[in-house]
Amino acid sequence: RKEVEQDPGPFNVPEGATVAFNCTYSNSASQSFFWYRQDCRKEPKLLMSVYSSGNEDGRFTAQLNRASQYISLLIRDSKLSDSATYLCVVNRLGTGANNLFFGTGTRLTVIP
Amino acid sequence: DTGVSQNPRHKITKRGQNVTFRCDPISEHNRLYWYRQTLGQGPEFLTYFQNEAQLEKSRLLSDRFSAERPKGSFSTLEIQRTEQGDSAMYLCASSARTDQTEAFFGQGTRLTVV
């Protein structure tokens, strides 16, 4: 089983729509969680960290459910500029091992 | 610019040639990661350094791949006898010591093997 799993999409939504992405992780030892955004042929960039209590940054809301090992990202009032691939990333505590695991990404296209 | 820097940005090479990429992490970051990404996929882990120590290598990293971080600062990734299947974006990332912090990526080196 993959460490991190995401629905690859694509998600095609009209401007102004609300869209949600989900991500599951397999290892309960995972400690911290992030959503990264990656534009076509660019490097991934941190969109937001995901905190246990849930957190919001403008139109973006991230939530974590440790019991279900599930992370979500909600985008409200979608803009054309939100079109990108959204990568779910988990960080597992460990001093001697790779501890950053990426999902395959969910592609979002916002349509005028 | 104090972010992660990778050179070159693009590399086209003939099959069978050797190539070397460089990554300069954010200066106070002691963790450095190399990833490979192909179209439509998320980054795949290749190797990880904590300071100068290479602590983990993926089984994706065949004998033709080697990475170093000699002084715990910049890192190099060398691919010997390149194959067409090596064509990908090679991404470097760095993070601070605290396990909770996010990683910051360089702009990547796009390798095309012809």
Side-chain angles (χ1 to χ4, degrees):
Chain A
R1 185 182 172 188
K2 287 186 179 179
E3 191 87 21
V4 180
E5 297 209 51
Q6 289 183 254
D7 179 349
F11 284 64
N12 299 316
V13 302
E15 267 187 293
T18 295
V19 62
F21 306 138
N22 302 320
C23 167
T24 57
Y25 59 96
S26 61
N27 195 310
S28 59
S30 298
Q31 292 290 318
S32 51
F33 310 88
F34 309 95
W35 284 100
Y36 277 70
R37 170 189 169 132
Q38 187 171 27
D39 293 296
C40 188
R41 303 179 82 83
K42 300 282 190 182
E43 76 276 21
K45 292 186 178 178
L46 180 68
L47 177 66
M48 59 196 302
S49 301
V50 186
Y51 302 122
S52 295
S53 55
N55 49 301
E56 189 173 308
D57 183 2
R59 298 181 294 106
F60 298 84
T61 301
Q63 292 194 315
L64 167 65
N65 184 322
R66 284 190 184 272
S68 301
Q69 296 181 196
Y70 168 97
I71 306 157
S72 66
L73 176 68
L74 183 77
I75 305 175
R76 291 182 300 279
D77 188 24
S78 300
K79 311 291 185 191
L80 295 177
S81 58
D82 294 334
S83 297
T85 296
Y86 292 83
L87 295 160
C88 175
V89 185
V90 306
N91 182 335
R92 179 154 45 90
L93 183 67
T95 56
N98 169 44
N99 50 14
L100 278 181
F101 298 90
F102 285 79
T104 55
T106 300
R107 187 191 296 182
L108 171 67
T109 302
V110 181
I111 303 164
Chain B
D1 185 355
T2 57
V4 179
S5 176
Q6 289 189 247
N7 287 288
R9 294 286 307 279
H10 302 274
K11 178 71 177 178
I12 300 174
T13 190
K14 290 184 178 179
R15 191 173 50 188
Q17 298 294 305
N18 300 343
V19 294
T20 301
F21 310 141
R22 176 177 169 129
C23 172
D24 287 90
I26 294 171
S27 59
E28 62 269 24
H29 285 182
N30 70 334
R31 295 176 176 221
L32 187 148
Y33 309 84
W34 283 100
Y35 287 86
R36 179 173 70 187
Q37 188 174 28
T38 53
L39 199 63
Q41 299 297 315
E44 296 176 298
F45 168 73
L46 292 179
T47 190
Y48 159 63
F49 290 85
Q50 189 164 306
N51 299 312
E52 67 276 10
Q54 188 175 19
L55 297 185
E56 189 173 351
K57 292 193 292 186
S58 164
R59 58 182 178 274
L60 290 175
L61 216 66
S62 74
D63 292 344
R64 297 184 297 106
F65 287 71
S66 61
E68 293 182 341
R69 195 183 182 196
K71 297 181 181 178
S73 57
F74 73 91
S75 176
T76 58
L77 177 69
E78 180 182 15
I79 309 174
Q80 295 182 325
R81 304 180 304 281
T82 51
E83 302 173 356
Q84 286 188 317
D86 297 331
S87 296
M89 174 76 90
Y90 289 84
L91 292 161
C92 175
S94 70
S95 67
R97 180 178 180 138
T98 306
D99 290 327
Q100 303 293 322
T101 63
E102 67 272 19
F104 296 86
F105 282 84
Q107 292 180 301
T109 295
R110 183 168 296 282
L111 173 66
T112 302
V113 181
V114 297

